[in-house]
Amino acid sequence: MAPSKVNSAGDASVSCSQPENGFLNSLSLLSSEKAVQELLQQSPLQSTDDHLIEFSDAMRTVAKALRRAAEGKASAQAEAAEWKRKYELERARNLHLEHKEQSHRENNGDEERTENLGSPSNEQSEHCCGSNGICSHEVLRDGDRDSASKVVPNKFARKASFKLSWCCKGDQSDQHKHDIVSFERGNITTAERSSKQISLKWESQPQTVIILTKPNSTSVRILCAEMVRWLREQKKLDIYVEPRVRAELLTESSYYNFVHTWKDETEIILLHTKVDLVVTLGGDGTVLWAASMFKGPVPPVVPFSLGSLGFMTPFHSERYREYLDSILKGPISITLRHRLQCHVIREAAKNEYETEGPILVLNEVTIDRGISSYLTNLECYCDNSFVTCVQGDGLILSTTSGSTAYSLAAGGSMVHPQVPGILFTPICPHSLSFRPLILPEHVTLRVQVPFNSRSHAWASFDGKDRKRLAAGDALVCSMAPWPVPTACQVDSTSDFLNSIHDGLHWNLRKTQSFDGPRDT
């Protein structure tokens, strides 16, 4: 480099001008002054720039090393915090189970325990599945016994009896099963629940109807007033509407003073005990709004199509008298649309039972990155088994009714709404091999934001009630025990196929012509 050359030249001139006795003569002074003047005349910018570049590179290297050390420390702290949290959760769960087992032993008493020890078959039966199981207590055999209780020769002696049970995890589980397992000579056959159409027959005449309408629509307001008058005069029904709709009806005429409404959330919670039928006037959004009002059991819903696009609204408003008359007489075909039950568990929660919720969704729950520029980083578990880590724009957990909504736009499959399952659909994943999944209805899904995530995530439920998920927070989803029964115009399968044909123009193309060559 230039500075080293200059310094070596200067040192050489000084050393050669020094005599052995250590004194400088005039010639050496003149040469030294000349060398200094040459140095002063040279521009020092080049050497200074080179030094600054070297110093900048060195500082950049030091900064990278410090950044790596800080990231390693943060990762270690996050991992330690995660292990601590898991330890606390496991410890709380063990204490809960221990307390439950101790109280159960105290309630049973010594006498009951003695009886259980004397009857091992009962003990084994209760240990198998308790009250949730379906048992076959009969001895199944291929031959008859004679009067002396001896097996007839050349025939099998007996076939072992067995018991099947639904394995619900703990008393906190809200997973209810309604399938039937039948036993025929020891062979298992399942009830074909999903492949059968469901029919609803009134045991008593409906008395009360609630009408829910799409807001800010003149045509819907006119139809609602006409329908309320017809149901009151012709069918003698009690009618409930929203407070907003009742105010609109009374503004139009005092005749509608008989219409009922509610005042607060307490009365909304008790609506399912008063209402026999729900009528919606709007699109799919109105059906979602109707479902969100009922946090528990939902009365049968009759959805009329008055929106722009509807997959759950098979009835046309022009023939509402004909449809309602047939539905009130019964029987009617219905579709049981499953809902997801969601809980948010914060990182500061002391145990897994300290949650926010439950929140019921009919379409889907979406976890996305919001306005952040970073990819989402979500750890996904299915029944405590690790599934994958989602890196992308987000994740959709959808019901089969919501398979034609956001999940379909993100690349998910269209699924018949009566198929019991949960759709696991990534949103713009940062991986070419990340394909959607369809999981069974009985699983519990947990989506957690890891501690080393670059940013937080956002969860929305049927497009509303948006919640922020920070590092360590988790979202737990399972199938809710209360589906939404919607009336069918024909049956569930015909209505579903008609909706994707009319709404999506599914597989609509020109038919191939027949004017080409034919096989002889």
Side-chain angles (χ1 to χ4, degrees):
M1 290 171 47
S4 61
K5 292 180 180 179
V6 172
N7 291 336
S8 60
D11 293 340
S13 61
V14 171
S15 60
C16 65
S17 61
Q18 289 180 351
E20 293 181 358
N21 56 8
F23 293 97
L24 297 175
N25 54 23
S26 59
L27 182 60
S28 62
L29 289 176
L30 290 176
S31 61
S32 298
E33 290 177 1
K34 186 177 180 181
V36 170
Q37 288 178 1
E38 290 180 354
L39 288 174
L40 292 176
Q41 289 176 0
Q42 291 180 358
S43 175
L45 294 178
Q46 181 65 31
S47 61
T48 304
D49 290 343
D50 292 338
H51 280 298
L52 289 177
I53 291 172
E54 270 192 22
F55 180 74
S56 176
D57 292 339
M59 292 301 296
R60 196 174 291 114
T61 304
V62 172
K64 287 182 180 179
L66 291 176
R67 192 182 301 112
R68 290 195 195 97
E71 289 177 355
K73 182 179 179 181
S75 178
Q77 291 177 347
E79 186 176 0
E82 175 67 10
W83 279 109
K84 181 180 178 182
R85 189 186 69 85
K86 290 181 178 179
Y87 168 77
E88 294 294 338
L89 287 176
E90 188 68 23
R91 183 171 177 270
R93 188 183 298 107
N94 292 337
L95 290 175
H96 176 75
L97 294 176
E98 183 179 354
H99 177 72
K100 177 184 173 183
E101 184 179 358
Q102 183 177 1
S103 61
H104 179 70
R105 290 176 180 175
E106 293 175 355
N107 293 334
N108 286 341
D110 297 334
E111 182 177 355
E112 185 175 356
R113 285 199 296 270
T114 305
E115 294 177 358
N116 289 337
L117 289 174
S119 56
S121 61
N122 293 337
E123 182 181 358
Q124 183 180 2
S125 174
E126 292 179 2
H127 179 72
C128 180
C129 64
S131 60
N132 294 328
I134 301 174
C135 305
S136 173
H137 297 295
E138 300 182 10
V139 177
L140 303 175
R141 69 191 81 176
D142 292 329
D144 298 331
R145 292 179 178 267
D146 57 9
S147 59
S149 300
K150 294 182 179 180
V151 181
V152 178
N154 300 327
K155 291 189 177 181
F156 294 105
R158 68 170 58 187
K159 195 169 184 177
S161 60
F162 52 84
K163 182 175 182 178
L164 299 184
S165 63
W166 306 122
C167 298
C168 298
K169 297 184 177 180
D171 294 339
Q172 298 293 330
S173 175
D174 47 22
Q175 302 170 5
H176 300 273
K177 304 300 175 186
H178 306 285
D179 292 302
I180 298 174
V181 177
S182 61
F183 301 89
E184 184 178 357
R185 302 187 69 82
N187 299 321
I188 304 173
T189 59
T190 60
E192 299 175 353
R193 181 186 67 172
S194 300
S195 62
K196 292 184 179 180
Q197 303 296 337
I198 302 175
S199 178
L200 184 147
K201 183 178 181 180
W202 301 107
E203 294 183 353
S204 60
Q205 189 66 25
Q207 301 294 327
T208 307
V209 175
I210 179 173
I211 300 177
L212 301 175
T213 64
K214 180 177 69 173
N216 305 322
S217 175
T218 304
S219 60
V220 171
R221 190 182 305 117
I222 295 172
L223 177 63
C224 178
E226 183 181 344
M227 184 180 293
V228 167
R229 185 186 295 270
W230 182 78
L231 288 174
R232 182 65 174 181
E233 294 178 355
Q234 301 296 325
K235 300 300 178 181
K236 310 301 181 184
L237 298 177
D238 295 328
I239 301 172
Y240 277 80
V241 296
E242 299 172 81
R244 168 187 57 83
V245 178
R246 188 175 189 274
E248 293 175 353
L249 292 175
L250 291 177
T251 302
E252 181 178 340
S253 173
S254 60
Y255 166 79
Y256 298 101
N257 198 30
F258 62 86
V259 176
H260 304 285
T261 188
W262 54 87
K263 296 180 181 179
D264 51 23
E265 293 289 334
T266 305
E267 297 185 18
I268 295 179
I269 295 175
L270 299 176
L271 272 180
H272 72 277
T273 62
K274 305 175 183 178
V275 174
D276 300 316
L277 198 66
V278 179
V279 176
T280 63
L281 304 179
D284 286 353
T286 310
V287 179
L288 294 177
W289 167 245
S292 66
M293 289 181 56
F294 297 92
K295 308 302 181 184
V298 185
V301 180
V302 184
F304 283 91
S305 176
L306 285 145
S308 57
L309 182 64
F311 296 93
M312 296 185 285
T313 54
F315 295 98
H316 302 289
S317 59
E318 296 83 5
R319 302 168 56 189
Y320 76 88
R321 290 184 177 89
E322 176 186 346
Y323 290 137
L324 289 178
D325 185 67
S326 176
I327 289 170
L328 292 173
K329 290 179 181 179
I332 58 174
S333 295
I334 63 171
T335 300
L336 289 180
R337 300 184 179 274
H338 304 277
R339 292 190 291 180
L340 290 178
Q341 184 170 256
C342 307
H343 296 81
V344 176
I345 304 177
R346 298 297 179 184
E347 191 274 332
K350 297 179 181 178
N351 54 61
E352 61 183 359
Y353 305 117
E354 186 178 336
T355 64
E356 297 179 11
I359 305 171
L360 298 176
V361 296
L362 180 57
N363 264 358
E364 75 278 315
V365 53
T366 304
I367 307 101
D368 57 61
R369 60 191 177 97
I371 61 174
S372 174
S373 59
Y374 296 108
L375 297 176
T376 56
N377 190 6
L378 305 172
E379 293 178 352
C380 303
Y381 299 86
C382 178
D383 286 341
N384 297 324
S385 297
F386 179 73
V387 179
T388 187
C389 183
V390 177
Q391 295 186 82
D393 283 353
L395 177 68
I396 301 171
L397 301 179
S398 171
T399 64
T400 50
S401 294
S403 66
T404 52
Y406 195 0
S407 175
L408 178 63
S413 299
M414 289 187 293
V415 187
H416 191 290
Q418 213 153 285
V419 174
I422 303 175
L423 279 67
F424 186 92
T425 309
I427 307 173
C428 298
H430 202 253
S431 171
L432 295 177
S433 60
F434 197 167
R435 306 305 300 162
L437 297 176
I438 301 178
L439 301 168
E441 63 169 341
H442 60 79
V443 302
T444 299
L445 297 174
R446 179 164 59 92
V447 181
Q448 183 170 349
V449 181
F451 287 96
N452 61 351
S453 178
R454 288 189 173 186
S455 64
H456 53 261
W458 292 88
S460 59
F461 308 88
D462 276 342
K464 55 180 188 262
D465 299 333
R466 200 163 173 83
K467 291 182 179 292
R468 180 175 179 267
L469 300 179
D473 295 346
L475 177 70
V476 179
C477 296
S478 60
M479 194 69 74
W482 305 284
V484 178
T486 58
C488 302
Q489 184 179 358
V490 183
D491 55 57
S492 61
T493 301
S494 298
D495 287 1
F496 171 68
L497 295 177
N498 289 334
S499 68
I500 63 175
H501 280 298
D502 299 339
L504 295 176
H505 304 291
W506 179 63
N507 197 30
L508 182 64
R509 66 180 296 273
K510 291 183 178 181
T511 306
Q512 188 176 11
S513 62
F514 292 94
D515 56 355
R518 299 185 180 183
D519 296 335
T520 57

